[in-house]
Amino acid sequence: MKRIFLGVTGASGAAYAAAALQALTAAGCDVGLCVSRAGAHVISHELLLAGREAPKDPDGVIREFASRYAGGPGTVTILGLEDLTAPFASGSSLAPAALICPCSGSTLAAIAHGTARNLIHRCGDVMLKERRTLVLMTRETPLSLIHIENMAAVTRAGAIVMPASPGFYNIPTRVEQIVDFMVGKALDHLGVPHELLARWGEDGQMIPAASDTERGA
Ligand SMILES: Cc1cc2nc3c(=O)[nH]c(=O)nc-3n(C[C@H](O)[C@H](O)[C@H](O)COP(=O)(O)O)c2cc1C
């Protein structure tokens, strides 16, 4: 079973995190899930309560998020944001890859500058120092020069910066297809198999992704 760290921070786009957790566990990954306080706020606002109420307590939000979106045959372990005793905090754990999705400008900056003040930052730090796969699905627009320079810094250090910037050449008709496009690209870089997106030019035509059929599209 492939061990993957999934960090969720306080950028808009909690739907990307939900689809990533769903796809990683569906692919049989053993997911270590760590959500920042702002990440829990955004999950609560965008997904669980859909803007209807003030956010609930962060730990409850994270548990509800995990139980709603994690499925078999993989597993999910919720990791505390301050838990630097978690295996992902050390290069001695052999976790091959981490995805931070969505990745805020704040977390991007922390990884770019190696400040490692929480488990998400530290796991990013570890992936870079161990030359393992780190995918950052950033979300902010427009970008300041600070964002751009931080993206350049982490790219030079080996990270894959993947702005949440979905393509439309698959002619999506539903939000889920747009979300799946981004998550599918991230899973490609993590080396996790999936059927989230139709691949350009395969069989000479664009075909709907398997997930569309399952969802009755
Ligand atoms: C609803 C909401 C949406 C936000 N969207 C973004 C965003 O898209 N990108 C971003 O960089 N920050 C965004 N922020 C601000 C971050 O949450 C804030 O900078 C926070 O300190 C990030 O901390 P974290 O990286 O530990 O999650 C948003 C905040 C809220 C409450």
Side-chain angles (χ1 to χ4, degrees), residues 109-131:
I111 295 171
H113 294 276
T115 54
R117 293 225 178 95
N118 66 35
L119 181 60
I120 300 176
H121 307 164
R122 173 61 185 161
C123 179
D125 213 24
V126 166
M127 290 293 141
L128 295 181
K129 83 183 177 73
E130 300 294 336
R131 311 296 195 269

Side-chain angles (χ1 to χ4, degrees), residues 8-12 36-39 41-42 45-46 103-107 118 121 139-140 147:
V8 180
T9 69
S12 186
S36 71
R37 305 294 280 193
H41 184 116
V42 175
H45 179 74
E46 294 185 356
C103 180
S104 71
S106 167
T107 289
N118 66 35
H121 307 164
R139 218 274 356 153
E140 189 51 277
H147 295 126

Side-chain angles (χ1 to χ4, degrees), residues 168-171 181 197-207:
F168 287 82
Y169 53 80
N170 283 355
I171 321 298
F181 176 94
L197 52 85
R199 296 186 186 278
W200 179 259
E202 280 190 5
D203 299 327
Q205 58 180 344
M206 293 303 298
I207 52 167

